[in-house]
């Protein structure tokens, strides 16, 4: 008596025969010619040979569904985390501003009666609470960037570059936009404008240049993605900071007063990452280059018309 697994294999084999248009009961009958049996055997071999390819196709389809579901779940998780962070940031800013307002009122109302030491202490409290407020605002800004979703639409990259340069207050004649033809017909236009504005502002405000500032922008095809490279002729970023430039609040400029430097590149990374892209940074004696890779098509979860989820 055949085992259960052998019986299952036999049943599957008979089913394959019927799918191929063969009569399992007639296979190998003594009254059938050798040539006819060989032809039927060839059909069976082709049917069995096709099974691995069909199985591989089914597995690929299943994996694609799992990846799409995982991407959607990740987007939902990021949205919930961003909502929680917004709430925490709001709760932090309220008491900070309250403390700063109380100190401001004390200085305004009783300044002449306060001793020099107390006035110095209150000025330090004002500065530190102002800086803490700037840090909290920076966290909120970066978290909002990580929750931003832009639509894929027709793009004129040259116009986007020019607009971002003007918004960043770039000096006339310093921008050299070269090789922009590799940009696809559709891209997240709002994302590109915000990212380029952040990069240009970072260059204009912080690049250390001997002589005239020069900024270059070029696009390069990169398989399923395309790359946008923004470079300048400024001095190199210190070696100990190069691996951390995309971290929040990491900057070669020390904080002065109620400020929180080091937000721009963190915002750039958050925006690009949430749209299925990646970023890279390199700096040396000849200048600094930031590269962004973006997919030609929207990531999983976007609509067929390029619109973001929700």
């Amino acid at each position: 008596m055949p085992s259960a697994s052998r019986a299952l294999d036999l049943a599957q084999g008979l089913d394959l025969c019927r799918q191929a248009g063969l009569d399992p009961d007639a296979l190998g009958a003594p009254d059938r010619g050798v040539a006819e049996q060989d032809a039927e055997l060839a059909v069976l071999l082709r049917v069995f040979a096709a099974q691995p390819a069909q199985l591989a196709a089914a597995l690929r389809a299943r994996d694609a569904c799992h990846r799409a579901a995982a991407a959607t779940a990740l987007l939902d998780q990021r949205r919930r985390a961003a909502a929680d962070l917004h709430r925490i940031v709001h709760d932090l800013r309220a008491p900070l501003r309250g403390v700063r307002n109380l100190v401001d009122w004390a200085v305004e109302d009783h300044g002449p009666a306060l001793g020099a030491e107390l006035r110095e202490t209150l000025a330090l409290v004002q500065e530190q609470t102002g800086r803490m407020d700037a840090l909290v605002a920076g966290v909120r800004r970066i978290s909002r960037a990580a929750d931003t979703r832009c639509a894929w639409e027709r793009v004129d990259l040259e116009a986007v570059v020019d607009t971002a340069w003007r918004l960043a207050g770039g000096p006339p004649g310093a921008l050299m936009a070269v090789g922009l033809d590799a940009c696809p017909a559709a891209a997240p236009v709002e994302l590109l404008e915000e990212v380029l504005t952040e990069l240009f502002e970072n260059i204009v405000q912080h690049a250390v240049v001997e002589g005239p500032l020069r900024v270059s922008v070029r696009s390069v095809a990169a398989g399923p993605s395309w790359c946008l490279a923004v470079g300048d002729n400024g001095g190199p970023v210190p070696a100990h900071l190069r691996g951390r430039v995309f971290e929040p609040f990491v900057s070669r400029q020390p904080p002065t007063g109620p400020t929180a430097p080091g937000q721009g590149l963190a915002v750039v990374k958050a925006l690009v990452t949430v749209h299925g892209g990646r970023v890279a940074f390199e700096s040396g004696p000849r200048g600094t280059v930031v590269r962004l890779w973006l997919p030609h098509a929207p990531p999983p979860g976007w609509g067929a018309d390029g619109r973001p989820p929700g």
Side-chain angles (χ1 to χ4, degrees):
M1 181 174 180
S3 65
S5 61
R6 183 172 178 81
L8 180 60
D9 292 342
L10 179 60
Q12 291 176 340
L14 294 176
D15 185 54
L16 287 173
C17 290
R18 295 187 183 94
Q19 292 179 24
L22 303 176
D23 181 5
D25 296 331
L27 291 177
D31 58 339
R32 302 174 70 84
V34 174
E36 188 175 357
Q37 292 187 38
D38 287 346
E40 291 172 341
L41 180 59
V43 172
L44 277 177
L45 289 174
R46 285 197 299 272
V47 171
F48 279 103
Q51 296 309 301
Q54 294 173 2
L55 178 60
L59 290 175
R60 286 195 298 270
R62 186 198 63 182
D63 291 343
C65 291
H66 287 174
R67 285 195 299 271
T72 302
L74 181 59
L75 287 176
D76 292 340
Q77 182 181 2
R78 284 176 173 172
R79 284 182 171 180
R80 289 193 298 269
D84 292 341
L85 188 56
H86 288 328
R87 185 169 59 253
I88 293 171
V89 165
H90 179 271
D91 293 343
L92 281 173
R93 295 193 80 181
L96 279 173
R97 289 183 173 180
V99 170
R100 191 173 185 184
N101 288 337
L102 288 173
V103 174
D104 290 343
W105 294 337
V107 172
E108 291 173 5
D109 295 344
H110 306 287
L114 301 175
E117 185 177 349
L118 181 55
R119 285 198 303 270
E120 184 178 345
T121 300
L122 291 177
L124 182 61
V125 172
Q126 287 175 314
E127 179 181 329
Q128 293 302 316
T129 54
R131 187 178 175 203
M132 289 177 66
D133 187 59
L135 285 168
V136 171
V139 171
R140 186 179 185 184
R141 182 181 176 220
I142 295 168
S143 68
R144 280 183 171 175
D147 195 43
T148 299
R149 307 289 186 275
C150 299
W152 258 249
E153 51 191 326
R154 294 191 63 83
V155 58
D156 181 346
L157 186 55
E158 185 174 352
V160 172
V161 170
D162 289 341
T163 299
W165 185 249
R166 289 197 304 272
L167 291 173
L175 178 65
M176 299 181 296
V178 294
L180 299 180
D181 297 336
C183 177
V189 177
E190 293 181 7
L191 163 72
L192 290 173
E193 185 173 300
E194 185 167 356
V195 163
L196 285 170
T197 302
E198 291 285 353
L199 293 176
F200 290 156
E201 285 181 348
N202 193 64
I203 292 172
V204 171
Q205 295 174 11
H206 303 302
V208 180
V209 183
E210 295 182 3
L213 174 66
R214 292 289 181 265
V215 178
S216 64
V217 183
R218 69 176 66 222
S219 61
V220 180
S225 303
W226 63 285
C227 176
L228 187 65
V230 179
D232 65 71
N233 63 335
V237 172
H240 70 283
L241 293 178
R242 292 175 195 171
R244 303 182 57 210
V245 293
F246 292 110
E247 296 178 17
F249 310 117
V250 172
S251 173
R252 59 182 169 183
Q253 304 294 330
T256 56
T259 61
Q263 300 178 33
L265 291 181
V267 168
V268 167
K269 181 178 180 180
L271 285 168
V272 172
T273 301
V274 81
H275 289 81
R278 58 188 178 92
V279 295
F281 176 92
E282 62 181 72
S283 184
R286 300 180 62 182
T288 297
V289 179
V290 176
R291 290 184 173 85
L292 322 170
W293 286 268
L294 285 168
H296 289 291
W302 266 247
D305 58 353
R307 297 294 170 185

